[in-house]
């Protein structure tokens, strides 16, 4: 007859085996907390779809929207969130926290716009107010880069989260110079009476949004991070193959229920434009992309020092991405 200790050991082994057989959602006591420094919008629909698919894979996700990318980044640094969305290169260099970017979600494809009743070109913005998404954002970086290239200095930089919000502010006259996305630019062309103009920015290769997290979190939650990366890649590739699928997937997952009716027709054209422009990388990032970021954000003033001397490993880890690419294939 087996002793009590032996029976206990066997029961523990059986319980442990049953625990391993459970889906991740049944085992995970706490959700993965993601901090997104933006408002839910057409531009973030693909990300919201990928989050729903991640949840369906058994990874509980708690998504919180903050008013700016820098606040979202601070939430990750302070431990209030596990994963952030943005490009906090300046913060990582300054704070030296064990935070690393691990997935390139999108590249910069923005449209600097001015009200031609006041301005015609970059030189006209010398000493004037401009509006960008948030402190440390790609929109701010572009504005700073163009000020440097044009030899000007803005009088004030205002932070107005959300391309839709900035587009509306242009139409209402509250903002006279800002950056919008392709959907916003189309709306300005349709309803602006011909008074809005795009300013040239030339060739820009840099990340707009990426995922980042504490290295300890990525190590202890490798499975969850890998599944999230997988679903991002799957979603990006599905949309690249058929941009019209975004409209149907939005209905399937009941996303952006409060989206203004006038913006609904912009969903598919926005993703058609984005796919054509290569805005959403199908490989989740690479060392080449990171070095492009170094060059851009250094010129824009958000990274200090010679870009050639910056080390990829000080800012990025590719472990979750490589795990995902091994599952879904490389492109």
């Amino acid at each position: 007859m087996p002793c009590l200790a032996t029976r206990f050991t066997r029961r523990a082994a059986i319980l442990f085996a049953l625990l391993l057989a459970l889906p991740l959602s049944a085992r995970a006591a706490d959700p993965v907390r993601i901090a997104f420094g933006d408002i839910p919008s057409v531009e973030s629909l693909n990300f919201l779809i990928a989050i729903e698919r991640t949840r369906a894979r058994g990874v509980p996700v708690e998504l919180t929207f903050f008013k700016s990318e820098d606040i979202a980044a601070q939430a990750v640094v302070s431990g209030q969130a596990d994963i952030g969305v943005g490009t906090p290169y300046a913060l990582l260099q300054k704070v030296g926290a064990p935070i690393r970017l691990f997935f390139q979600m999108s590249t910069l494809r923005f449209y600097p716009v001015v009200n031609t009743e006041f301005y015609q070109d970059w030189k006209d913005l010398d000493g004037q107010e401009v509006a960008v998404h948030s402190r440390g954002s790609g929109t701010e970086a572009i504005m700073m880069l163009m000020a440097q290239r044009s030899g000007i200095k803005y009088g004030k930089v205002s932070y107005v989260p959300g391309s839709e919000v900035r587009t509306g502010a242009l139409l209402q006259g509250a903002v006279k110079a800002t950056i919008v996305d392709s959907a916003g630019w189309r709306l300005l062309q349709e309803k602006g009476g011909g008074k809005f103009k795009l300013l040239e920015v030339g060739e820009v290769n840099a990340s707009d949004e990426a995922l980042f997290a504490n290295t300890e979190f990525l190590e202890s939650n490798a499975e969850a991070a890998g599944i999230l990366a997988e679903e991002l890649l799957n979603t990006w590739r599905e949309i690249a193959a058929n941009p019209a699928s975004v409209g149907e997937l939005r209905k399937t997952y009941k996303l952006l229920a409060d989206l203004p009716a006038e913006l609904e027709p912009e969903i598919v054209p926005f993703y058609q434009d984005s796919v054509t422009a290569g805005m959403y990388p199908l490989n989740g990032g690479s060392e080449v992309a990171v070095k492009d970021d170094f060059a851009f954000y250094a010129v824009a003033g958000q990274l200090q020092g010679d870009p050639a001397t910056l080390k990829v490993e000080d800012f990025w880890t590719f472990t979750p991405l490589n795990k995902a690419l091994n599952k879904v294939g490389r492109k």
Side-chain angles (χ1 to χ4, degrees):
M1 179 176 181
C3 67
L4 181 62
T6 302
R7 289 201 301 271
F8 178 80
T9 302
R10 287 176 178 171
R11 287 177 181 174
I14 292 171
L15 287 171
F16 182 68
L18 290 172
L19 179 62
L20 290 179
L22 289 172
L24 185 61
S25 59
R27 290 185 268 143
D30 300 315
V32 175
R33 301 165 300 168
I34 300 180
F36 197 160
D38 202 348
I39 59 175
S41 66
V42 169
E43 184 183 347
S44 58
L45 252 178
N46 55 349
F47 181 64
L48 298 178
I49 291 166
I51 292 297
E52 292 301 323
R53 289 174 162 180
T54 300
R55 288 169 174 156
R57 292 277 303 277
V59 179
V61 177
E62 180 183 287
L63 183 59
T64 302
F65 294 92
F66 292 87
K67 66 179 182 179
S68 66
E69 288 182 12
D70 57 320
I71 296 177
Q74 289 290 350
V76 175
V77 172
S78 66
Q80 295 176 322
D82 303 309
I83 295 174
V85 180
T87 47
Y89 282 107
L91 179 66
L92 297 190
Q93 189 179 56
K94 181 178 180 180
V95 175
I99 306 293
R100 294 293 182 271
L101 294 99
F102 67 93
F103 191 98
Q104 184 190 38
M105 294 212 310
S106 61
T107 55
L108 286 165
R109 294 292 187 276
F110 283 104
Y111 300 75
V113 179
V114 293
N115 184 328
T116 56
E117 294 176 337
F118 300 89
Y119 314 122
Q120 292 293 327
D121 55 31
W122 288 107
K123 292 287 187 182
D124 291 339
L125 296 179
D126 191 25
Q128 304 302 310
E129 180 178 1
V130 298
V132 301
H133 173 66
S134 67
R135 195 180 305 276
S137 66
T139 57
E140 183 185 49
I142 287 179
M143 281 297 198
M144 293 301 106
L145 173 63
M146 295 313 299
Q148 184 183 66
R149 286 181 177 176
S150 305
I152 62 174
K153 185 176 181 180
Y154 305 121
K156 180 181 179 182
V157 177
S158 297
Y159 299 103
V160 183
S163 178
E164 290 95 335
V165 178
R166 294 192 300 277
T167 300
L170 277 169
L171 289 170
Q172 295 164 11
V175 166
K176 300 177 181 65
T178 188
I179 297 182
V180 300
D181 58 22
S182 62
W185 173 234
R186 279 194 301 274
L187 193 63
L188 291 171
Q189 289 174 294
E190 292 171 8
K191 299 189 175 183
K195 66 181 180 180
F196 296 107
K197 175 184 178 180
L198 280 180
L199 298 184
E200 293 294 328
V201 296
E203 187 70 20
V204 174
N205 294 312
S207 299
D208 177 32
E209 289 181 338
L211 296 183
F212 57 93
N214 187 289
T215 53
E216 182 179 345
F217 170 83
L218 291 174
E219 290 172 5
S220 60
N221 294 271
E223 183 179 359
I227 289 174
L228 174 58
E230 275 184 57
E231 293 309 322
L232 285 164
L233 289 170
N234 287 332
T235 302
W236 271 216
R237 293 176 182 186
E238 181 177 345
I239 293 171
N242 177 23
S245 65
V246 181
E248 292 304 315
L249 290 169
R250 178 200 173 209
K251 295 176 183 177
T252 299
Y253 294 111
K254 299 179 174 60
L255 299 169
L256 298 187
D258 297 328
L259 186 72
E262 65 268 22
L263 292 179
E264 288 193 24
E266 294 294 334
I267 294 175
V268 173
F270 174 83
Y271 284 94
Q272 288 172 332
D273 290 348
S274 299
V275 167
T276 299
M279 183 175 172
Y280 298 108
L282 303 184
N283 66 350
S286 66
E287 288 201 12
V288 172
V290 177
K291 290 178 180 178
D292 284 341
D293 285 353
F294 288 166
F296 172 74
Y297 284 104
V299 172
Q302 293 190 16
L303 276 173
Q304 303 302 311
D306 182 354
T309 66
L310 298 176
K311 297 179 180 179
V312 173
E313 59 268 25
D314 289 340
F315 296 87
W316 275 76
T317 177
F318 291 100
T319 302
L321 176 58
N322 286 330
K323 182 176 181 180
L325 288 170
N326 289 336
K327 292 282 188 67
V328 305
R330 298 175 184 269
K331 285 193 174 184

